[in-house]
Structures are given as structure tokens and as C-alpha cells.
Amino acid sequence: MVYEYVDPGPTPRASSAATAKVMRSTGRRDTVPEFRVRRALHRRGLRFLVDVAPAGTNRRRRVDVLLRGPRIAVFVDGCFWHSCPLHGPVPKSNREWWRRKLEGVVRRDRDTEAALTAVGWSVVRVWEHEDAEAAADRIEQMARERQRPR
Ligand SMILES: [Zn+2]
């Protein structure tokens, strides 16, 4: 699968303080939700790498949390940027631009996921709004299943 980047056009001026805030946070590392998930995993005795791309995948598509033993790639996705069904409405102003932009992010997520799956990784996506402990439980369970000798 080839990811086609669709340029949504020039970035419009932020129409509100809230939009400006969300735009500034783009691509920022070590977000609070991500930190909470990492801490919860660490407390469960799981060890992982942060912000890396596994061998054989696009080096520019970095994984938030990588559990190498069980081959689990975890992404902690912001509700706005990754279009969470509960909290990801397209902003009202510059709607068309935002729609293209956000669809592009989702398409890239799918593409990254397919590339990881192709080389044997399981992908877990955690929404920013999800409870970090519940997410860590889910990942821990999966890690145990995947590490079981076959
Ligand atoms: Zn959400």
C-alpha cells in the first residue's frame, strides 16, 4: 500500500484560541496521555522503547511505545488530530481544509499500521481520552499472549 500525501493547502489562521492551542500542540513529543500510558506499562513490569521506528519500516513513522519482545507497537493518539469518534469534530471554520488535513492523518495512520503488521508487529491504538490503566491492562494481556511459547 502506498500512502499518498494530499496537501490540504496553506494553513489557515487559527479561528479561535482553542484551535490555536490544538494547532500548536501538533507533533509534540511526550504528551501527557502518552506519559500516563508509559508509566502504567512500566508499573506492570513491561519494558519498551519510546519514539522509534522498527526495522523494515519507514524511519519517519515513529512508534510512541514499542514492546520488542511481544512485538507490540502502541500509538497514543490525540482525539483531535486522529479524529476520535467522540471528540474529533472537524472545526467549523476552514472546514474543508481541516477535513482534508485530518483525513490525511487518518490515512497515514492506516498506512503505518499496515506497514507494521506486514513485518509482524501488532498495533495497539490508545485514544487520548482512554483511561491509561485500562489501556495498559489491555496491552499487558496482549503481551502475555504473544510471549507464550508456541
Ligand atoms: Zn476522544
Side-chain angles (χ1 to χ4, degrees), residues 79 84-88 127-130:
C79 290
C84 148
L86 303 178
H87 314 102
W127 287 113
E128 168 187 5
H129 69 251
E130 273 186 66

Side-chain angles (χ1 to χ4, degrees), residues 129-145:
H129 69 251
E130 273 186 66
D131 178 68
E133 298 298 330
D137 283 344
R138 186 151 59 94
I139 295 161
E140 183 184 23
Q141 173 72 31
M142 197 174 176
R144 288 193 199 293
E145 281 165 12

Side-chain angles (χ1 to χ4, degrees):
M1 184 157 78
V2 178
Y3 166 70
E4 280 179 73
Y5 180 72
V6 179
D7 188 342
T11 308
R13 278 176 57 85
S15 55
S16 69
T19 313
K21 188 169 169 244
V22 113
M23 286 172 80
R24 268 199 306 276
S25 69
T26 326
R28 199 172 55 192
R29 293 264 144 71
D30 299 326
T31 61
V32 171
E34 192 182 324
F35 175 74
R36 289 204 186 104
V37 171
R38 291 197 325 232
R39 192 176 52 188
L41 289 172
H42 198 268
R43 266 204 305 267
R44 284 161 177 76
L46 295 168
R47 295 299 174 258
F48 46 84
L49 297 174
V50 170
D51 190 34
V52 287
T57 66
N58 186 336
R59 310 307 285 171
R60 292 173 61 202
R61 305 281 183 82
R62 304 169 83 85
V63 176
D64 293 334
V65 177
L66 198 70
L67 288 83
R68 279 198 297 194
R71 290 180 83 78
I72 297 171
V74 180
F75 291 93
V76 182
D77 291 339
C79 290
F80 175 76
W81 286 106
H82 300 268
S83 302
C84 148
L86 303 178
H87 314 102
V90 178
K92 282 198 183 70
S93 55
N94 305 308
R95 195 177 185 87
E96 194 47 31
W97 184 88
W98 276 111
R99 196 187 55 73
R100 286 195 302 269
K101 175 89 176 168
L102 297 175
E103 277 177 10
V105 173
V106 170
R107 214 164 27 238
R108 192 180 55 187
D109 286 347
R110 299 268 150 73
D111 182 56
T112 303
E113 195 164 326
L116 286 163
T117 308
V119 289
W121 290 85
S122 289
V123 175
V124 175
R125 307 205 83 100
V126 178
W127 287 113
E128 168 187 5
H129 69 251
E130 273 186 66
D131 178 68
E133 298 298 330
D137 283 344
R138 186 151 59 94
I139 295 161
E140 183 184 23
Q141 173 72 31
M142 197 174 176
R144 288 193 199 293
E145 281 165 12
R146 295 211 77 186
Q147 249 164 354
R148 211 171 279 159
R150 288 151 211 232

